[in-house]
Amino acid sequence: MLKDAPANFFRVFVSPSMEAGFQKRETKIKSLTAKVRQEVDVAHMQAVHYQLANIENVVEGLHSTQPMQTTSPAMRMIPHSRNDRFFGRSSMLSKMDEILLSSPNDRSQHMFALYGLGGSGKTQIALEYTYSRSHHFDTIIWILASSTEKIDQGFKQVAEHFGMSPKQSKDPDRARDFVLQRLSCSTSKYLLVLDNIDDIGLTTGIIPRGDRGAIITTSRDSIISEDLTRNSYQVLEFSVEEGCGYLRSALPPNVTTNAEDDLRRVSETFHGYPLALGQIAGFVRTYGCSLHDFLKIYEDKKNSTAISEFAVKDYHANLTTVWDLSFSSLDDNSRTILELSALLDPDSIPYDFFMHGTLDQQLQWPRLRFMADPLEFLAALKKLRSQSLIRVNPDLRTISIHRYFQSSVRQQVYGVMQQQHNPFHEAVHLLTIIQPEFMNHSQHWNPQNWEGSEQYLPHIKSLEGHFLEKPLQFKGFAERLAKLVYHGAVYQFEKSHLKAASDTMAHARYILESSDAVDVLLLSDCYRVEGRIFNESNQPLRTLESSKKAKEYADQAVAQGSMDVYDSRLPRILTGWGNALSQLGHFEEALSMQLDAIKLCRDVPSDKSDAITIVQLNWAYVLLRIGEAEQAARILRAALETDPEAPYVIYPLGNAYLAQERIDEALAEHIKALNIYVSSFGNQAAQVADSLYKIGEIMFSHKRNTQQAL
């Protein structure tokens, strides 16, 4: 009765007409419940069936003609023939021996991962190791691991060789499990090569467990390789000498005999990149040309693509397909970093180059903004690393890129410059933001800028080179680039790299004069500093020519209003001009020019110019040349009242005392100058060497102290 109470309650208080509807629904619920129970039973039966199949598989192995109990059947499954032109890499092969060839008592599994840029030789190294060390292994299995389909096909073939029936091996999971079980239980030595793994997901469930195996993996992805094993090594390009050796081994003797210069040129041109050198060797052999003829053909740009598509024997790709594969895997952020890197010096690109300039909230290129976020920037680097397209030095916070690969990327960059973005303009902008400026014209030296300039000068020179190669393509960015190159030249001058500074400044002028609207003030600066460079390198005629040009453009700048008459650059130009006249022996004109410069310094407020010290210095040099040592010393002492620690004034004061036979005072001044130079520039600076030489000269010639002079 109590059991039926709810139903009776329902009949009494709810309309009896609804009862039939609820009964129908009750019947349907019972039907669905029965169906679910049936499906659960089926699923259980399928699971049991799968377990039985696995047991059957093991039993088949136990009763096969090639038993699996303690040893795997001897086999050599290698899809590539041995490369009879394999060259070098002995140190890498020896390193692999250390890891993979264990002692008889060592029953642990060993893994060695090779990673690097596509075409760097990873597969060839693994192949050579497999053939040359085959006697160490009972079983060798090579699986092409670039896709799930290839992995499945490889394990299917091995499973059938191990005794699995073709019917059963059609199931990829069963075939793989069967092979891995055989290898894991094996007591014989085996070598498993997993070639070209570029997807971390593909490594799941394809590596056997056991204590008798050696495993080699190859991948473009450094991150996958490092995740798989601590024994991961990057395959680098050949050195120039190794590249020459590779070409000798790949070409007939009649091509390489007496062709050392051409061998070196080819190796240098392609930066030791193995795939490129292999394609060149194939091209030369096929067409029967000399290396000299090949270089002529390659230098004609329209032929370079055809050569890049030339097939290499026993290799699955050419340069074009390798590059296309690498590019296609990149996202927009990593491609942006790669495009910018293609225009810079390849060896050491600071993280700050990318990140510092993008902090500007008014940045006009939205595609660069991700670099201001450290996590997004590092994620983009990770993507590039995963393709081995760059190398990263986390301690120095720099990246580098292979030169030959860089040149290929650069050609693509040139192709997109007229589209939605311009990597060259972006690179100029980022360097402009971070490169120190030598714009304080009141300072004779700017050592506080040297460290930053040293870091970024190679990248400025790289952009300079691209402009000189294609001036019309980059004309719109001439003025900003010229300013960068100017600062680079000033740095080289201040570091006493006079020849390099002269060349760089000439390029700065050329780039600036290529712009549609020339900045005459910057052009005057270029000629003014160029005059200083020629003065320091004892080229008075060129100093005179540059000083005249500097004055001409300075006058134009004053007329335009971009420079006022109080600017310290005007007396600096005149004093440099006067110094050149003095060196040429035109002493009256030189003194007149120095006095004009002095007058200009005195006619302007002291807060507008401090060039007086430099003018006094050059005035004193003129007096020293005409034998007025005492007056020269007086002027130099006056200059030191303004700046007591100016070594470039103390040094000539020592010379003025020496000319007056005031030996001890001369020696004291030169020692003082030396100490300041060492303190300011370090003991490797040219000024330090000059001071040391002068002190030695005084000790030897005037103090007669040979030992101390030495």
Side-chain angles (χ1 to χ4, degrees):
M1 289 290 291
L2 292 174
K3 184 177 181 182
D4 296 331
N8 293 331
F9 179 84
F10 183 85
R11 293 188 186 100
V12 172
F13 290 96
V14 182
S15 173
S17 63
M18 296 177 65
E19 183 177 2
F22 279 101
Q23 286 178 342
K24 288 181 180 179
R25 285 174 174 77
E26 183 181 8
T27 302
K28 187 173 183 180
I29 289 171
K30 289 179 180 179
S31 173
L32 290 173
T33 302
K35 186 175 182 180
V36 169
R37 285 174 180 162
Q38 183 180 11
E39 289 179 355
V40 170
D41 290 340
V42 170
H44 177 69
M45 291 174 63
Q46 288 176 337
V48 171
H49 177 75
Y50 183 74
Q51 290 176 347
L52 290 172
N54 282 339
I55 293 171
E56 178 188 359
N57 193 44
V58 172
V59 171
E60 281 192 4
L62 290 171
H63 293 285
S64 66
T65 56
Q66 299 179 11
M68 171 188 159
Q69 291 174 337
T70 56
T71 60
S72 295
M75 65 179 295
R76 298 285 188 272
M77 197 183 82
I78 310 171
H80 309 295
S81 58
R82 188 171 186 175
N83 181 2
D84 55 1
R85 293 193 174 95
F86 182 83
F87 174 81
R89 307 297 195 186
S90 57
S91 61
M92 185 67 79
L93 294 171
S94 298
K95 199 171 294 182
M96 295 171 75
D97 281 340
E98 293 174 14
I99 304 300
L100 299 176
L101 296 182
S102 59
S103 66
N105 296 325
D106 185 357
R107 291 185 171 273
S108 60
Q109 185 188 71
H110 302 286
M111 182 179 291
F112 195 97
L114 295 162
Y115 68 89
L117 192 63
S120 59
K122 305 178 295 296
T123 297
Q124 293 303 314
I125 292 172
L127 193 63
E128 177 61 20
Y129 189 87
T130 299
Y131 276 106
S132 62
R133 273 66 168 178
S134 61
H135 57 284
H136 290 285
F137 302 100
D138 302 302
T139 298
I140 297 176
I141 300 169
W142 188 296
I143 301 289
L144 302 175
S146 58
S147 68
T148 301
E149 293 75 21
K150 289 184 178 180
I151 291 173
D152 290 345
Q153 180 63 26
F155 276 104
K156 179 179 185 298
Q157 293 173 355
V158 177
E160 291 177 5
H161 187 92
F162 278 171
M164 188 178 227
S165 68
K167 180 179 178 180
Q168 292 175 322
S169 68
K170 288 181 180 179
D171 183 337
D173 292 331
R174 292 185 67 183
R176 186 182 306 136
D177 291 344
F178 179 69
V179 172
L180 294 178
Q181 184 184 44
R182 295 292 287 263
L183 293 177
S184 298
C185 296
S186 176
T187 59
S188 57
K189 292 281 290 182
Y190 68 85
L191 173 64
L192 172 64
V193 181
L194 300 171
D195 186 26
N196 204 20
I197 304 177
D198 291 324
D199 182 348
I200 188 65
L202 297 179
T203 63
T204 303
I206 64 171
I207 297 176
R209 298 177 181 178
D211 58 8
R212 300 294 292 167
I215 300 172
I216 298 173
T217 67
T218 72
S219 177
R220 288 176 299 156
D221 195 325
S222 62
I223 298 171
I224 288 177
S225 300
E226 290 164 1
D227 284 346
L228 286 173
T229 174
R230 63 182 179 181
N231 301 315
S232 58
Y233 295 88
Q234 183 172 12
V235 178
L236 300 175
E237 63 274 15
F238 288 132
S239 67
V240 172
E241 293 301 330
E242 288 171 334
C244 292
Y246 173 78
L247 288 169
R248 288 191 200 95
S249 72
L251 292 168
N254 66 300
V255 174
T256 58
T257 302
N258 300 321
E260 291 303 315
D261 290 344
D262 291 330
L263 283 168
R264 178 168 285 274
R265 278 187 62 200
V266 171
S267 185
E268 288 176 345
T269 298
F270 294 89
H271 304 285
Y273 185 51
L275 178 55
L277 298 179
Q279 289 187 273
I280 292 161
F283 185 92
V284 169
R285 288 195 304 269
T286 299
Y287 291 100
C289 62
S290 68
L291 287 171
H292 189 74
D293 290 338
F294 165 80
L295 285 166
K296 286 183 177 179
I297 294 169
Y298 181 77
E299 285 165 3
D300 186 343
K301 297 298 182 185
K302 67 177 183 291
N303 296 320
S304 59
T305 300
I307 293 170
S308 296
E309 294 175 350
F310 198 81
V312 177
K313 181 185 177 184
D314 295 329
Y315 192 70
H316 66 281
N318 55 42
L319 279 176
T320 299
T321 56
V322 166
W323 294 162
D324 288 346
L325 182 62
S326 296
F327 293 146
S328 65
S329 66
L330 300 180
D331 57 24
D332 290 342
N333 290 351
S334 54
R335 189 181 293 272
T336 296
I337 292 176
L338 194 62
E339 288 177 352
L340 290 169
S341 301
L343 298 168
L344 303 173
D345 181 85
D347 289 330
S348 184
I349 308 172
Y351 287 6
D352 285 345
F353 162 78
F354 301 100
M355 301 176 74
H356 185 77
T358 54
L359 295 175
D360 181 5
Q361 296 300 314
Q362 304 301 317
L363 185 68
Q364 65 185 89
W365 297 286
R367 81 182 195 120
L368 301 185
R369 287 181 183 145
F370 78 91
M371 295 189 290
D373 184 329
L375 289 179
E376 287 195 55
F377 175 70
L378 291 174
L381 289 188
K382 181 179 179 181
K383 188 69 176 177
L384 292 168
R385 283 184 61 212
S386 73
Q387 298 297 310
S388 292
L389 300 179
I390 62 169
R391 302 170 201 163
V392 172
N393 187 324
D395 296 327
L396 297 178
R397 299 182 75 249
T398 60
I399 69 172
S400 57
I401 180 173
H402 188 280
R403 280 175 163 76
Y404 185 62
F405 175 66
Q406 184 193 45
S407 66
S408 178
V409 177
R410 189 160 53 245
Q411 295 308 312
Q412 293 200 12
V413 169
Y414 287 161
V416 303
M417 281 192 179
Q418 304 305 321
Q419 298 176 14
Q420 295 179 351
H421 60 273
N422 193 309
F424 189 88
H425 195 181
E426 294 165 346
V428 169
H429 167 78
L430 294 175
L431 275 174
T432 300
I433 295 296
I434 201 165
Q435 160 65 27
E437 292 191 353
F438 292 79
M439 298 304 290
N440 189 345
H441 308 292
S442 65
Q443 290 188 6
H444 197 60
W445 306 104
N446 298 270
Q448 72 277 5
N449 288 345
W450 290 358
E451 183 177 354
S453 294
E454 182 177 23
Q455 190 173 31
Y456 291 104
L457 179 62
H459 306 300
I460 293 172
K461 295 294 290 182
S462 182
L463 293 183
E464 170 196 307
H466 300 322
F467 185 95
L468 297 177
E469 182 183 359
K470 296 178 178 288
L472 294 178
Q473 188 163 3
F474 304 127
K475 187 176 182 181
F477 319 113
E479 187 174 323
R480 295 191 76 184
L481 177 60
K483 194 171 184 179
L484 278 173
V485 177
Y486 164 80
H487 292 311
V490 174
Y491 162 73
Q492 291 174 317
F493 166 62
E494 292 195 5
K495 292 290 285 184
S496 298
H497 306 317
L498 301 180
K499 178 62 170 65
S502 174
D503 293 342
T504 302
M505 192 61 80
H507 292 157
R509 287 195 291 101
Y510 171 80
I511 294 169
L512 184 58
E513 290 167 343
S514 301
S515 63
D516 294 327
V518 177
D519 182 342
V520 293
L521 179 55
L522 180 57
L523 192 54
S524 175
D525 284 337
C526 289
Y527 278 114
R528 176 180 57 80
V529 177
E530 189 175 64
R532 289 182 66 191
I533 296 169
F534 292 142
N535 179 62
E536 291 289 332
S537 54
N538 295 312
Q539 300 182 68
L541 286 173
R542 300 186 73 179
T543 303
L544 195 63
E545 181 182 348
S546 295
S547 297
K548 289 179 179 179
K549 285 285 189 181
K551 180 64 166 60
E552 175 188 340
Y553 288 111
D555 289 342
Q556 290 184 34
V558 171
Q560 290 178 359
S562 56
M563 183 169 75
D564 62 39
V565 293
Y566 302 134
D567 196 292
S568 68
R569 284 172 280 199
L570 290 170
R572 289 177 185 277
I573 293 170
L574 294 182
T575 193
W577 192 337
N579 205 36
L581 291 170
S582 172
Q583 287 179 292
L584 291 169
H586 305 312
F587 297 119
E588 284 192 26
E589 293 176 76
L591 281 173
S592 175
M593 192 67 72
Q594 299 299 347
L595 290 173
D596 286 344
I598 287 284
K599 183 177 182 299
L600 183 55
C601 289
R602 288 173 178 167
D603 284 349
V604 301
S606 58
D607 63 338
K608 290 285 187 179
S609 172
D610 64 352
I612 182 67
T613 302
I614 302 302
V615 177
Q616 288 173 313
L617 171 66
N618 286 331
W619 185 13
Y621 269 124
V622 178
L623 294 170
L624 276 173
R625 288 187 179 109
I626 62 176
E628 298 288 344
E630 186 175 348
Q631 188 178 354
R634 187 164 56 249
I635 292 170
L636 291 169
R637 285 194 296 269
L640 287 173
E641 291 177 6
T642 305
D643 187 359
E645 297 295 313
Y648 48 87
V649 178
I650 297 171
Y651 183 97
L653 179 58
N655 288 344
Y657 286 152
L658 196 62
Q660 298 174 67
E661 299 294 330
R662 297 160 64 176
I663 307 303
D664 290 337
E665 291 171 277
L667 184 60
E669 296 299 327
H670 278 293
I671 291 174
K672 183 179 179 181
L674 171 65
N675 290 333
I676 296 172
Y677 277 135
V678 170
S679 176
S680 300
F681 306 144
N683 56 15
Q684 300 297 315
Q687 295 89 340
V688 171
D690 194 25
S691 290
L692 282 170
Y693 179 82
K694 193 67 180 182
I695 292 169
E697 181 187 4
I698 294 171
M699 297 301 299
F700 180 78
S701 301
H702 297 277
K703 304 290 283 184
R704 306 300 180 186
N705 189 334
T706 305
Q707 186 63 34
Q708 197 166 358
L710 291 173

